[in-house]
Amino acid sequence: MRVAYNEQMTELADMLGVMAGLAGTAMEKATQSLLQADLALAEEVIGEHDQITDLSVACEERAFALLALQAPVAGDLRSIVSGIQIVADIDRMGALALHVAKAARRRHPNHVLPEEVNGYFAEMGRLAVALGAAAKEVLETRDPERAAKLREEDEAMDDLHKHLFTVLMDREWKHGVAAAVDVTLLGRYYERFADHAVEVGRRVIFLVTGKMPSEPEDTGEIN
């Protein structure tokens, strides 16, 4: 019975790692579609999103089956509950990449972003993909020290997000309200993607140590 349980938990962890990898790839492609007004790439992200959704459902089913059939306690219960929560975080990461791709498709053949903010989003995209890869690594290694570093790496994303608002509030902004709304929403998508990657790290720390790190403050509504 114990051997079967361990095998199922390993399979669940592997599935979560695959999900995180897919979310990171989706954000990488979505960013390229955004910066290059590449409709084909945007459609690719949108078409492939079902893979993340299907894995999310499969992971939840696997976790709930373990809860129902194995009656876990203590550390085992913590692992399963953490797994269910991680599924939700990675699912949101995939959904946020999808939002970016849909924005690129909606404005095609025009570019969504004014040229002066392209650099911001190129860097935000790079950071998001790096954080997604780090979340995948943490899920595979269960290294709490590496997991804790995700929060530090997220600070660069927060700084970029704040700087975007200085551009939007500048009197020299000449791109109108629609462009300002697009930039605001897209910036938030990237920030939240990174936040969910950090949350994966927090949950891995809890899974391994039994102690949940303090939650970062966030007053935004997009999750």
Side-chain angles (χ1 to χ4, degrees), residues 137-154:
E137 176 190 349
V138 164
L139 285 166
E140 293 171 344
T141 63
R142 296 196 176 187
D143 182 347
E145 292 185 4
R146 178 68 185 95
K149 291 180 181 178
L150 267 68
R151 187 165 177 177
E152 298 174 12
E153 293 164 8
D154 178 47

Side-chain angles (χ1 to χ4, degrees), residues 46-118:
I46 294 165
E48 292 175 351
H49 182 68
D50 284 346
Q51 296 178 42
I52 297 176
T53 301
D54 292 344
L55 266 175
S56 176
V57 172
C59 285
E60 286 188 342
E61 289 176 348
R62 178 67 57 87
F64 284 123
L66 285 167
L67 279 176
L69 300 177
Q70 300 291 347
V73 296
D76 292 342
L77 179 61
R78 188 168 70 237
S79 295
I80 296 173
V81 172
S82 295
I84 293 170
Q85 294 170 325
I86 288 169
V87 170
D89 284 310
I90 302 174
D91 187 66
R92 285 305 305 155
M93 290 166 70
L96 290 160
L98 178 66
H99 291 335
V100 174
K102 285 184 173 180
R105 182 177 68 174
R106 184 172 62 250
R107 298 298 187 194
H108 186 79
N110 299 318
H111 283 77
V112 180
L113 302 172
E115 187 174 348
E116 66 200 78
V117 298
N118 275 347

Side-chain angles (χ1 to χ4, degrees), residues 150-165:
L150 267 68
R151 187 165 177 177
E152 298 174 12
E153 293 164 8
D154 178 47
E155 291 177 1
M157 179 71 82
D158 291 337
D159 288 343
L160 281 168
H161 187 242
K162 290 174 183 176
H163 288 158
L164 266 181
F165 284 99

Side-chain angles (χ1 to χ4, degrees), residues 168-202:
L168 291 172
M169 298 301 293
D170 195 305
R171 293 181 180 179
E172 299 298 319
W173 179 263
K174 56 181 182 294
H175 306 287
V177 174
V181 170
D182 282 338
V183 169
T184 300
L185 285 174
L186 286 163
R188 184 60 172 157
Y189 296 154
Y190 281 94
E191 185 201 30
R192 290 303 297 154
F193 184 97
D195 286 345
H196 282 289
V198 173
E199 192 66 15
V200 169
R202 291 179 69 247

